[in-house]
Amino acid sequence: MLKTDRSNNAINKKRGDELMGFYRVVALLTASCFFIFSAFISWYEGAKLLDIPWEWKHTAIFSVWRHGEVTTPGEIMGIDHFIYAAKFQPLFPVLMISSALVVIYLLASWILKNNKLAFNACMLAIGVLLFSASIGLADSPTKGLGFLSVYFLFMSVFSIGYIFLLSPKILR
């Protein structure tokens, strides 16, 4: 009877692993769809930058790096649309960043599932990057980037806190 219980436990564990893998794939696909949708909406909202020439000097950062002074709407790069959207309409940029973080987390946990130390190092690196972004945006005069700064700070605390609260076996 004991041998049957062990084989049933092994079968149930295998089914549980397969089910967990299915849920992980569904979560990854869902987060990817949210990312694509919110990126498209953010890019669309940020396209208003093309109609506001006085904002180009302050918002079209990547275009200024590439072209020097931006003089026509055709010189504005697509990434500057996201910056404009984050500054003035941050809802979809925040959704885009959140879904990107979920995708990164799911991929890292899947790829590094057998190496907890590497996964925790990945979470620490993400936390440090988010904290750095938070510090970089902290003195922004716009409400959107100020909100993003607070959001990045919260997510960095979550990312680093995960290592200490939800993964304590590594630290022992």
Side-chain angles (χ1 to χ4, degrees), residues 82-142:
F82 296 109
I83 294 172
Y84 182 84
K87 285 175 82 170
F88 299 108
Q89 297 173 336
L91 175 65
F92 286 104
V94 166
L95 287 174
M96 184 178 78
I97 293 165
S98 298
S99 57
L101 288 172
V102 169
V103 167
I104 291 168
Y105 170 79
L106 288 171
L107 286 174
S109 66
W110 184 36
I111 293 168
L112 303 171
K113 66 182 172 186
N114 295 328
N115 192 345
K116 294 290 186 189
L117 187 60
F119 179 73
N120 285 342
C122 180
M123 292 298 287
L124 181 64
I126 290 170
V128 169
L129 286 172
L130 290 170
F131 184 75
S132 300
S134 173
I135 297 300
L137 297 175
D139 63 344
S140 176
T142 62

Side-chain angles (χ1 to χ4, degrees), residues 27-149:
L28 187 61
L29 290 174
T30 303
S32 298
C33 289
F34 268 101
F35 176 78
I36 292 168
F37 173 75
S38 57
F40 177 74
I41 299 298
S42 296
W43 177 76
Y44 177 78
E45 287 179 339
K48 292 179 185 174
L49 176 64
L50 299 173
D51 300 330
I52 309 172
W54 63 85
E55 191 65 42
W56 294 349
K57 185 167 74 170
H58 305 291
T59 304
I61 297 167
F62 292 98
S63 300
V64 169
W65 284 349
R66 184 172 182 200
H67 300 289
E69 184 178 347
V70 177
T71 56
T72 65
E75 295 175 342
I76 294 178
M77 298 172 66
I79 194 167
D80 291 324
H81 294 218
F82 296 109
I83 294 172
Y84 182 84
K87 285 175 82 170
F88 299 108
Q89 297 173 336
L91 175 65
F92 286 104
V94 166
L95 287 174
M96 184 178 78
I97 293 165
S98 298
S99 57
L101 288 172
V102 169
V103 167
I104 291 168
Y105 170 79
L106 288 171
L107 286 174
S109 66
W110 184 36
I111 293 168
L112 303 171
K113 66 182 172 186
N114 295 328
N115 192 345
K116 294 290 186 189
L117 187 60
F119 179 73
N120 285 342
C122 180
M123 292 298 287
L124 181 64
I126 290 170
V128 169
L129 286 172
L130 290 170
F131 184 75
S132 300
S134 173
I135 297 300
L137 297 175
D139 63 344
S140 176
T142 62
K143 289 182 180 179
L145 291 183
F147 175 75
L148 236 66
S149 175

